Amino acid sequence: MSARALILVIEDDEILGASLQQRLGLEGWHVRWARSCADALAAIARQTPDAVMCDIRLPDGDGESLMRDVFARAGAVPTIFMTAFGGIDQAVRLVRMGARDYVTKPFELDDVVDKLRAATGGDGAAAADPGAAVDPFASFGLSPATAGTRRTLERIADVDLPVLLTGETGTGKEVAARFLHAQSRRGTGPFVAVNCAALAPELVDSALFGHEKGAFTGAHERRLGLAETAGEGTLFLDEIGELDAGLQAKLLRLVQERELMRVGGVRPLPFTARLVCATHRDLEEEVARGAFREDLWYRINVVTVRIPALRERPAEIEPLLRRFVAEAGPRLRAARVAVAPDAIAAAQAYDWPGNVRELKNRLERAVALCEGDAIAAADLFPDAHSRPAGASAPVPTGVVPGEGLTLAEVREAAEKAHIEAVLRATGNGIQETAQRLGVSRTTLWEKMRRLGISVE
């Protein structure tokens, strides 16, 4: 077992420093508290920390000069700066210089804990370098809407029952499934994800269950299916509502009898993985209209967990932006890029009809196309860059403020108006519209059908 990571806290405020030392210690880290630049450099000389939490303004120096000394002596230690709101510009400059992240005072200690976990790989792992991948689960649970969801997934992680994840397209159902897998005793086994909507209908049977040599034309050798490949791990079936009736019957056998049959096979094989399914459809409604088997619905609906839409999780938007920048930056740009405060504010004010998927798409486009070294609101929302700061979004056609409509009705009207506007902007180009909205073509067609939108 590796030694616990060492966190160096550099903070001259006695109350905040003591709070950080206590909380980080309770999380399992070793913590050293330095109250000045001189104390910090002495501590680093004794032992290189795995991560640094540092105030920008200190009694005997500042964060910029200290960071140069920290990196020179400690070799690219992940550094997270703490700053008051007025020091955000300096914090952004430090991120460009190589700091990992920053937080603005007053901040939530939970946010700091998540950032340090991402920097150190947990509470007992070696430090990660500033360009390392960010923990994909760090933001999951920061909002009240997903805190309960995270606790539920943790509670059922080792309960060997099928789990059904529901929610709008793009909310992160696969991220939730991977979190469930990682938390369970199956976490060391494979995680096999299957998008049922993306597989060609004629290939789904063979892809899921495998086939024997000679089972059909072109089957020159035996091939294991994805259900068998999952082994003792987790089989994740995304968009399960897209499966046809024949495959639903085979899946029922998989769930009910815990066995599978390869195409062309003569004897059943044991299915040993955990099954997690996901859908954006209302499967109960699909059962009522005969599009989904009722017996299969009951089998996969043993534990149902709803993944909230991004508009219900505003506290997660900023950490998601930083995570996606950390992931996309090295791939799309040679220079490090930061997220400016106005971009964060604009993102938190936006409704995100395409959910996390739309946020990621917009962010990656902004990383690739922005001319500076910090993403601004205009980079994130180029179609709305001329809107004055703080201006209200236009009221959707047909909605009269205060006339007694429900939030669901207002949201539906806004979604319809936005889709129609993007369709007009793209000349009714379905593919480009779907890309701009951050959804798949299938999801766009479904939304257009439900909202009564037609194109020439």
Side-chain angles (χ1 to χ4, degrees):
M1 181 176 178
S2 60
R4 289 185 297 165
L6 172 64
I7 308 297
L8 176 61
V9 174
I10 310 169
E11 173 58 66
D12 63 322
D13 184 283
E14 292 290 330
I15 295 175
L16 180 56
S19 298
L20 285 167
Q21 185 178 45
Q22 180 183 41
R23 176 59 189 277
L24 301 182
L26 290 172
E27 292 293 334
W29 284 295
H30 284 304
V31 183
R32 284 218 176 99
W33 177 15
R35 293 165 175 80
S36 66
C37 291
D39 289 346
L41 293 173
I44 291 169
R46 289 195 302 272
Q47 183 180 354
T48 300
D50 295 297
V52 173
M53 282 292 304
C54 181
D55 194 1
I56 288 182
R57 300 183 186 277
L58 293 161
D60 57 344
D62 60 70
E64 291 193 33
S65 59
L66 180 60
M67 191 178 77
R68 284 191 291 269
D69 287 327
V70 167
F71 275 77
R73 299 184 185 207
V77 174
T79 303
I80 299 170
F81 282 97
M82 300 174 281
T83 182
F85 182 79
I88 288 179
D89 289 343
Q90 188 179 17
V92 171
R93 187 164 65 249
L94 287 166
V95 169
R96 295 172 193 158
M97 289 171 57
R100 185 182 183 93
D101 210 339
Y102 69 89
V103 292
T104 55
K105 299 177 181 178
F107 50 77
E108 294 291 334
L109 288 176
D110 286 345
D111 188 22
V112 170
V113 168
D114 285 328
K115 291 178 186 296
L116 286 172
R117 280 183 179 148
T120 62
D123 56 4
D129 65 79
V134 179
D135 175 9
F137 311 127
S139 64
F140 186 56
L142 291 183
S143 287
T146 53
T149 303
R150 181 170 181 141
R151 288 195 296 271
T152 298
L153 293 174
E154 288 171 338
R155 284 200 304 272
I156 65 174
D158 283 325
V159 178
D160 253 345
L161 293 171
V163 176
L164 178 63
L165 303 175
T166 65
E168 298 176 12
T169 298
T171 53
K173 293 187 285 293
E174 183 172 338
V175 171
R178 289 183 181 275
F179 176 79
L180 181 65
H181 172 73
Q183 295 296 308
S184 74
R185 61 175 178 269
R186 296 178 179 272
T188 55
F191 179 90
V192 177
V194 185
N195 186 340
C196 299
L199 290 173
E202 65 275 12
L203 300 177
V204 175
D205 198 348
S206 175
L208 276 180
F209 304 107
H211 61 252
E212 298 289 351
K213 181 179 180 180
F216 50 83
T217 303
H220 302 300
E221 59 184 3
R222 171 187 289 175
R223 176 167 296 178
L224 302 186
L226 296 169
E228 196 173 348
T229 303
E232 299 287 338
T234 298
L235 177 65
F236 174 58
L237 299 183
D238 197 8
E239 299 299 355
I240 190 174
E242 308 301 321
L243 291 179
D244 64 27
L247 282 165
Q248 288 178 29
K250 288 197 170 187
L251 189 59
L252 177 64
R253 180 188 182 97
L254 188 81
V255 182
Q256 184 171 293
E257 306 298 334
R258 300 291 297 174
E259 60 183 30
L260 59 91
M261 183 81 76
R262 296 189 193 122
V263 176
V266 295
R267 61 183 180 84
L269 301 167
F271 173 63
T272 55
R274 186 203 197 142
L275 183 66
V276 179
C277 302
T279 182
H280 73 282
R281 295 184 180 275
D282 184 337
L283 289 187
E284 194 168 9
E285 184 179 300
E286 298 292 296
V287 169
R289 68 184 188 87
F292 199 84
R293 291 181 64 115
E294 186 176 20
D295 47 5
L296 178 58
W297 155 244
Y298 285 126
R299 289 292 180 182
I300 65 172
N301 190 36
V302 179
V303 180
T304 299
V305 181
R306 176 181 172 269
I307 309 302
L310 185 58
R311 60 182 170 273
E312 303 171 53
R313 314 147 44 181
E316 297 178 35
I317 290 175
E318 181 176 352
L320 281 171
L321 284 170
R322 300 196 187 285
R323 170 193 157 194
F324 293 145
V325 161
E327 291 175 346
R331 177 165 50 88
L332 299 176
R333 290 172 65 100
R336 180 183 282 278
V337 63
V339 184
D342 72 322
I344 294 172
Q348 290 172 333
Y350 184 58
D351 197 45
W352 297 110
N355 291 294
V356 180
R357 187 173 298 152
E358 181 187 0
L359 184 148
K360 184 176 183 180
N361 287 354
R362 281 186 177 273
L363 193 282
E364 289 185 341
R365 179 179 61 188
V367 169
L369 299 180
C370 77
E371 297 180 354
D373 49 9
I375 294 169
D379 299 312
L380 204 57
F381 299 99
D383 47 341
H385 68 276
S386 59
R387 184 181 301 162
S392 300
V395 177
T397 303
V399 174
V400 180
E403 71 173 4
L405 295 177
T406 66
L407 285 175
E409 290 169 330
V410 174
R411 185 179 297 126
E412 185 172 287
E415 188 173 6
K416 180 177 181 180
H418 186 58
I419 291 174
E420 289 175 335
V422 178
L423 281 168
R424 286 194 298 271
T426 62
N428 290 337
I430 296 298
Q431 181 65 38
E432 186 178 352
T433 298
Q435 289 175 344
R436 289 195 185 188
L437 294 175
V439 299
S440 67
R441 287 167 57 97
T442 302
T443 298
L444 177 58
W445 280 118
E446 176 63 25
K447 285 182 178 292
M448 290 170 62
R449 182 193 63 77
R450 178 171 57 82
L451 297 171
I453 300 172
S454 60
V455 295
E456 294 298 329

